[in-house]
C-alpha cells in the first residue's frame, strides 16, 4: 500500500476506510474495486477516442494527444470499415472518413501508427464485426516495427451481440459471429497474450436509451453468451476469462452511476465463480473502460458540456473504472476540434492531479445511499438477466427483439420527460438563450474518398495477386470448416488483402444477418 497522503489541512488520508473484517478492495466479489490499491498506486488510464478522415490525419491527432499526456489511444473507424466494406465500394460513398478513420488495408494501418511505438502505448479499437481483421492488421504493423505479439497491450471491442441490439453494424449471423469471437479468444491467448480480446459494451445500449439497470443487465447477459461460446469451442474458462473487459457509460446522475459500477462488479464475480466455476481470481474481475455520455451532450450552449463531462468523469472515477475517455464539448455538433479534445483530456488530468480522488479507494463505501442503491441495482439487474435467459439465451432474446424493445421503451419514456419539462436539460428545455453563439466545427475534407480510392487502386495493382488468391482460398476453406480463421486471415492481410475482401470472403461462406421483424 502506498504511503498515506495528507489532506489540505494536514491530516493523513487513509488508503482504505472501512470496518475491520469488512469487504476490502481487490477481494471477491470486488464491490469496492478490482485492485487493492486502485488509484493510490497510479491513476486510471486516460484515453481519448479519436479518428477521422485519412490515416495520416488521425496519426497527427494521436501525436497531439500523446504529447498532451494521453496514456492510451482509442481508435474510431468510419462506417464502411465498421461494416467490412472498402472505401471504393458503392455502398461506402459519402461515408468515407466521416465518423472515424478509413482503414482499407495494411498500408492504411502503417500510416495510422507511423512513429508511434506500439510496445509503449495501449491501444483500444472500437471495432466489432471485423474486429479480428483490424487486430491482425495492428499486429502485422507491430511486427514490422520489431514488436512481438507478447509486448502488445490493448483492446478490440469485438462485441457483436450489442450490434444486433443497439447499433446495427453487424455483418454475419449470430452463430458464425460468435465463432469468430471464440477464434479471436484462442488466437490471442496463443499469439497476443496481453491483449484484451473483447470489450463487452453497455455504452452503445445506454446511448440508445437503456437505463443503468438495463445497461449492465444486457451487457452481462451478452458476457455470459460469449463465455458459453468459448467454453463450447473447447476453451477452458480460466484460459480466456482474465482477458475479458467491459465498456460502460458514465451519465450525470452521479450517485446511481457509482452504484451501477459497484453492482456490476459484484454480479459478474458471482457469475464467473459460481455459474462457470472459474478458479482464477482474475477471471472473476470485471475490468472496464468508461466513456462519458455522448447522448447527454447538447448542441445548445455547447460549453455547458464541459461541466457535464466533468461530472460524468467524476462518477466513473468514483465507481472504479480502469480507463476513461472524456467526450469533447463540441461532439454534439461535429467531430471534435484539437482544442476541444485537449480540454477533454485536461478534465481527466484535473480529476487525477488536482483533487484527492486518488488518495483513497472507494470513498463512497459505507454511504447509506450508495450501499442501498448498489443493492437495488444488483437485484433489478439480476432479475432482468433472468428475463433474458427465459428466452433460452441472449441470442434467442435478441432474435425476438426483447432487449431492443426494452431499450426503446426506456428511450421513449425519457424523450417524453424531456418534452414535458419533467426532466430538465440545461440549455434545451430550461435556462435557454434566445440566440446561440456561433461555433465553427471541424470539417472533414470531401476529397478523402477519392484519395482512398486511388490508394486502393495502386494497392491492388502492385501486390502479388496470385499469392493473395491462394491465401484467400485458404481463408475460405478454413471458414467453411472448423479451423481458427485468424491464421489464414493474417496471411491474406500480410499479402495486402483489403478489409472488404476479407469480409466478403466470409460473407460468401457464412452469409449476412437479416434481422427478424419484431412487433
Amino acid at each position: 500500500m502506498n504511503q498515506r497522503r495528507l489532506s489540505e489541512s494536514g491530516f493523513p488520508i487513509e488508503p482504505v476506510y472501512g470496518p475491520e473484517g469488512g469487504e476490502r478492495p481487490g477481494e471477491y466479489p470486488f464491490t469496492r474495486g478490482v485492485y487493492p490499491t486502485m488509484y493510490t498506486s497510479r491513476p486510471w488510464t486516460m484515453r481519448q477516442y479519436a479518428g477521422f478522415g485519412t490515416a495520416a490525419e488521425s496519426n497527427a491527432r494521436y501525436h497531439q494527444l500523446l504529447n498532451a499526456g494521453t496514456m492510451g489511444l482509442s481508435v474510431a473507424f468510419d462506417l464502411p470499415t465498421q461494416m467490412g466494406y472498402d472505401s471504393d465500394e458503392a455502398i461506402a460513398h459519402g461515408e468515407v472518413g466521416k465518423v472515424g478513420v478509413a482503414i482499407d488495408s495494411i498500408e492504411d494501418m502503417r500510416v495510422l501508427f507511423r512513429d508511434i511505438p506500439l510496445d509503449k502505448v495501449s491501444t483500444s479499437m472500437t471495432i466489432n464485426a471485423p474486429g479480428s481483421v483490424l487486430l491482425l492488421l495492428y499486429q502485422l504493423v507491430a511486427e514490422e516495427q520489431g514488436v512481438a505479439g507478447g509486448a502488445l497491450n490493448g483492446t478490440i471491442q469485438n462485441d457483436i451481440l450489442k450490434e444486433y441490439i443497439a447499433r446495427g453494424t453487424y455483418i454475419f449471423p449470430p452463430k458464425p459471429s460468435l465463432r469468430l469471437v471464440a477464434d479471436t479468444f484462442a488466437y490471442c491467448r496463443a499469439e497476443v497474450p496481453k491483449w484484451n480480446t473483447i470489450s463487452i459494451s453497455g455504452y452503445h445500449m445506454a446511448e440508445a436509451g437503456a437505463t443503468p439497470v438495463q445497461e449492465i443487465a444486457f451487457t452481462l447477459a451478452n458476457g455470459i453468451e460469449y463465455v458459453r461460446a468459448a467454453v463450447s469451442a473447447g476453451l477452458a474458462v480460466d484460459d480466456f476469462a482474465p482477458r475479458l473487459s467491459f465498456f460502460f457509460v458514465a451519465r450525470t446522475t452521479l450517485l446511481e452511476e457509482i452504484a451501477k459500477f459497484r453492482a456490476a462488479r459484484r454480479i459478474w464475480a458471482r457469475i464467473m465463480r459460481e455459474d462457470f466455476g472459474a478458479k482464477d481470481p482474475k477471471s472473476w474481475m470485471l475490468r472496464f473502460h468508461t466513456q462519458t455520455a455522448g447522448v447527454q451532450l447538447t448542441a445548445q450552449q455547447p460549453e455547458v458540456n464541459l461541466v457535464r463531462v466533468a461530472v460524468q468523469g467524476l462518477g466513473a472515477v468514483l465507481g472504479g473504472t480502469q480507463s476513461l475517455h472524456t467526450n469533447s464539448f463540441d461532439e454534439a455538433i461535429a467531430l471534435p476540434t484539437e482544442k476541444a479534445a485537449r480540454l477533454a483530456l485536461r478534465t481527466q488530468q484535473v480529476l487525477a492531479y488536482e483533487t484527492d480522488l486518488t488518495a483513497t479507494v472507494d470513498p463512497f463505501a459505507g454511504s447509506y445511499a450508495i450501499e442501498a442503491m448498489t443493492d437495488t441495482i444488483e437485484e433489478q439487474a439480476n432479475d432482468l438477466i433472468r428475463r433474458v435467459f427465459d428466452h433460452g439465451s441472449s441470442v434467442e432474446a435478441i432474435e425476438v427483439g426483447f432487449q431492443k424493445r426494452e431499450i426503446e421503451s426506456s428511450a421513449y419514456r425519457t424523450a417524453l420527460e424531456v418534452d414535458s419539462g419533467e426532466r430538465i436539460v440545461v440549455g434545451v428545455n430550461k435556462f435557454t438563450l434566445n440566440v446561440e453563439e456561433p461555433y465553427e466545427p471541424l470539417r472533414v475534407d470531401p476529397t478523402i474518398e477519392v484519395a482512398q480510392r486511388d490508394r486502393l487502386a495502386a494497392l491492388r495493382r502492385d501486390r502479388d495477386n496470385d499469392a493473395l488468391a491462394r491465401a484467400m482460398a485458404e481463408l475460405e476453406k478454413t471458414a467453411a470448416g472448423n479451423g481458427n480463421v485468424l491464421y489464414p486471415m493474417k496471411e491474406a492481410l500480410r499479402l495486402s488483402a483489403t478489409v472488404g475482401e476479407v469480409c466478403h470472403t466470409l460473407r460468401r461462406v457464412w452469409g449476412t444477418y437479416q434481422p427478424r421483424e419484431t412487433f
Side-chain angles (χ1 to χ4, degrees), residues 297-460:
L297 303 185
T298 65
Q300 300 92 330
Q301 302 180 43
E303 292 85 357
V304 177
N305 293 329
L306 287 164
V307 181
R308 293 186 177 100
V309 168
V311 173
Q312 294 162 351
L314 181 62
V317 171
L318 290 170
T321 192
Q322 276 57 72
S323 64
L324 176 62
H325 163 79
T326 35
N327 289 326
S328 301
F329 75 89
D330 53 356
E331 288 189 44
I333 303 170
L335 289 168
T337 61
E338 180 183 346
K339 179 179 180 180
R342 185 172 62 249
L343 284 170
L345 176 60
R346 294 289 183 256
T347 302
Q348 293 200 53
Q349 291 166 336
V350 168
L351 292 175
Y353 301 113
E354 292 191 20
T355 75
D356 52 7
L357 290 174
T358 61
T360 190
V361 179
D362 194 24
F364 271 72
S367 155
Y368 293 123
I370 292 296
E371 296 295 354
M373 292 171 77
T374 300
D375 291 344
T376 299
I377 290 173
E378 179 186 20
E379 179 183 356
Q380 292 186 3
N382 276 327
D383 181 64
L384 190 50
I385 290 170
R386 283 190 289 271
R387 289 175 61 200
V388 169
F389 286 100
D390 283 344
H391 294 84
S393 69
S394 186
V395 169
E396 288 169 299
I398 288 168
E399 289 181 336
V400 298
F402 172 69
Q403 298 97 321
K404 192 170 185 290
R405 283 196 304 272
E406 292 289 307
I407 292 170
E408 287 173 349
S409 176
S410 297
Y412 181 63
R413 184 170 61 251
T414 298
L416 290 178
E417 291 171 356
V418 172
D419 288 346
S420 69
E422 181 182 351
R423 181 187 295 256
I424 293 173
V425 181
V426 173
V428 175
N429 62 6
K430 199 172 181 65
F431 314 113
T432 58
L433 295 177
N434 292 328
V435 180
E436 291 285 338
E437 296 178 5
Y439 176 80
E440 184 60 36
L442 177 71
R443 302 190 188 280
V444 175
D445 185 348
T447 66
I448 284 171
E449 187 172 328
V450 175
Q452 284 296 112
R453 286 173 175 268
D454 291 344
R455 285 171 62 82
L456 280 166
L459 177 86
R460 293 190 175 106

Side-chain angles (χ1 to χ4, degrees), residues 27 68 71 114 280:
E27 296 179 359
M71 299 153 64
R114 186 168 52 206
D280 185 347

Side-chain angles (χ1 to χ4, degrees), residues 283-296:
S283 298
W284 309 334
M285 295 179 181
L286 184 144
R287 298 170 302 112
F288 65 95
H289 169 70
T290 308
Q291 182 173 339
T292 56
V295 74
Q296 291 187 317

Side-chain angles (χ1 to χ4, degrees), residues 6 152 172 189 230 237 246 341 437 517:
L6 296 180
L152 295 177
F172 317 112
R189 179 174 179 267
V237 66
F246 291 80
E437 296 178 5
E517 292 292 336

Side-chain angles (χ1 to χ4, degrees), residues 44-96:
W44 59 94
T45 299
M46 300 179 196
R47 296 190 185 278
Q48 285 307 109
Y49 186 51
F52 63 94
T54 65
E57 289 176 293
S58 293
N59 175 264
R61 175 63 63 87
Y62 295 156
H63 282 284
Q64 291 164 359
L65 290 170
L66 290 169
N67 290 335
T70 291
M71 299 153 64
L73 300 175
S74 189
V75 185
F77 297 94
D78 71 358
L79 281 175
T81 305
Q82 292 180 47
M83 298 290 290
Y85 294 108
D86 290 330
S87 297
D88 60 356
E89 296 188 55
I91 196 171
H93 179 60
E95 293 293 341
V96 176

